Structure formats: structure tokens, C-alpha cells
Amino acid sequence: MNEKIILGIDPGTNIMGYGVIRVVGNKASMIAMGIIDMRKISDPYLRLGKIFDRVTGIIEEYLPDEMAIEAPFFGKNIQSMLKLGRAQGVAIAAAIHRDIPIHEYAPLKIKMAITGQGQASKEQVAGMLQRLLNIKDEDMTPFMDATDALGAAYCHFMQAGRPESQVSYKGWKDFVNRNQERLCKR
């Protein structure tokens, strides 16, 4: 049976969560989850360097086939959004550096995939993941960033099981080339 490893990332500038799941057939299990803690680093550029180093290290340790990352939530504070976007970009760059395909999911989509409710709390998402992945209480973390990252990975696992998400295109030309019959009928 084919095995796939999915790395999930919950971007952050103070704490970045990560979660790793193994998929065999249609069954997922947790391999690891944790955080990258940057609260003691005051220089914002050194924080970005740590994100790159740690995400690269996680990739080297678990050898994921794909990465699922949570899209930044659009808030009112522009400076916070810029910082979060940089953190996300550096995590994406680490995956690109290792030739890992990246999939981005909005927080609402992740919550819907796991709980069936887009307005679910972080605690509800963590509780549902614990049940879905059979995670023991002692393996749970107090950091919701880690369970949010695990949620991104699990959401990607759920989406990958749907036939419509199996099709991916390398660009507009690729789409047109692969859909000539459908496009010519119109």
C-alpha cells in the first residue's frame, strides 16, 4: 500500500506550529507535532532564519511528500499581517528548497474538514483531531499552534481523497492543453 507523509504548518512569528501525519491507504495517523518557539528572539530577521532552519530540519527528519499550510487570517492590523506573511513565506521557501509540493488552506476550510463547522474553536479542533487520530492524552500539547498545524495536514489528507482535488495543473497552458475536448465543445 502506498504511504504518504504530510507536514502541516500553522504559521506564526512568535510560535509556529507543525504537525506530521502518515497516510496509508485511507487511514491517517500522527507521527509528530510540536512548535517552533521564537519568543526569546527579538530580531525579526533572526526569527525568519530560525523558521527556515527549523522547517528545513523537520523536513529532513520526517521526509514529507507534501506540505499543507494554513493561510494567514486577514485581520485589521496590517503590520501583523505583513509579519505573518513573511513567516508563512519562509516556511514555504523551506519546502520549495526541498522540492515539496505545497497546499494552502484557509482556517475556515480546515475547521470545516475536521469538525464540520467553520466557526469551531481551536479546542474543538484539537479534541476532534485527538479522536480522529487516536492521540493519547499525554501526547497532546498545550500549544494550539501544534494542533492547528496537525489540522492543516489532516485537512489536506481529507481533500486528497476527493477525486476533484486529484487534478492539478502547472499553469494556464497546462490546463488548456489537458482540457482541449471540453474547451472545443463550447
Side-chain angles (χ1 to χ4, degrees):
M1 230 178 230
N2 286 345
E3 179 183 282
K4 183 190 290 188
I5 305 294
I6 303 171
L7 167 62
I9 295 285
D10 177 37
T13 54
N14 290 320
I15 296 175
M16 179 174 279
Y18 68 90
V20 185
I21 62 172
R22 172 181 286 114
V23 176
V24 180
N26 64 353
K27 188 129 176 71
S29 60
M30 182 187 80
I31 297 175
M33 72 172 152
I35 60 162
I36 302 166
D37 190 345
M38 294 157 293
R39 293 176 291 183
K40 292 181 180 171
I41 303 171
S42 59
D43 185 303
Y45 302 109
L46 292 178
R47 285 180 180 203
L48 296 176
K50 183 170 183 174
I51 291 168
F52 187 84
D53 289 344
R54 285 290 292 125
V55 171
T56 301
I58 292 163
I59 289 168
E60 289 169 357
E61 183 174 354
Y62 297 106
L63 303 172
D65 299 292
E66 300 180 53
M67 183 171 92
I69 191 163
E70 185 173 306
F73 176 75
F74 295 103
K76 294 179 182 173
N77 186 329
I78 302 290
Q79 286 303 314
S80 294
M81 282 301 302
L82 286 171
K83 289 176 186 174
L84 192 58
R86 287 177 181 163
Q88 184 196 35
V90 169
I92 289 170
I96 290 169
H97 186 65
R98 295 288 189 241
D99 295 321
I100 296 171
I102 299 135
H103 306 271
E104 187 177 39
Y105 296 97
L108 184 81
K109 179 129 183 149
I110 294 169
K111 290 175 181 182
M112 282 294 291
I114 292 159
T115 68
Q117 182 184 345
Q119 301 306 316
S121 69
K122 289 177 175 287
E123 291 79 11
Q124 288 172 313
V125 171
M128 187 60 85
L129 284 168
Q130 186 175 7
R131 286 189 288 285
L132 291 167
L133 296 170
N134 298 313
I135 304 168
K136 296 176 191 157
D137 287 339
E138 60 267 20
D139 293 332
M140 289 301 284
T141 173
F143 292 97
M144 295 293 158
D145 312 85
T147 50
D148 283 354
L150 197 62
Y154 195 82
C155 175
H156 182 61
F157 156 66
M158 298 288 288
Q159 297 303 307
R162 298 205 172 119
E164 68 272 12
S165 71
Q166 295 298 327
V167 180
S168 61
Y169 301 100
K170 293 179 182 144
W172 186 246
K173 282 185 182 178
D174 186 34
F175 172 81
V176 171
N177 288 337
R178 289 209 243 162
N179 290 283
Q180 286 294 329
E181 288 179 17
R182 282 179 36 199
L183 296 170
C184 292
K185 287 180 183 177
R186 293 182 177 173

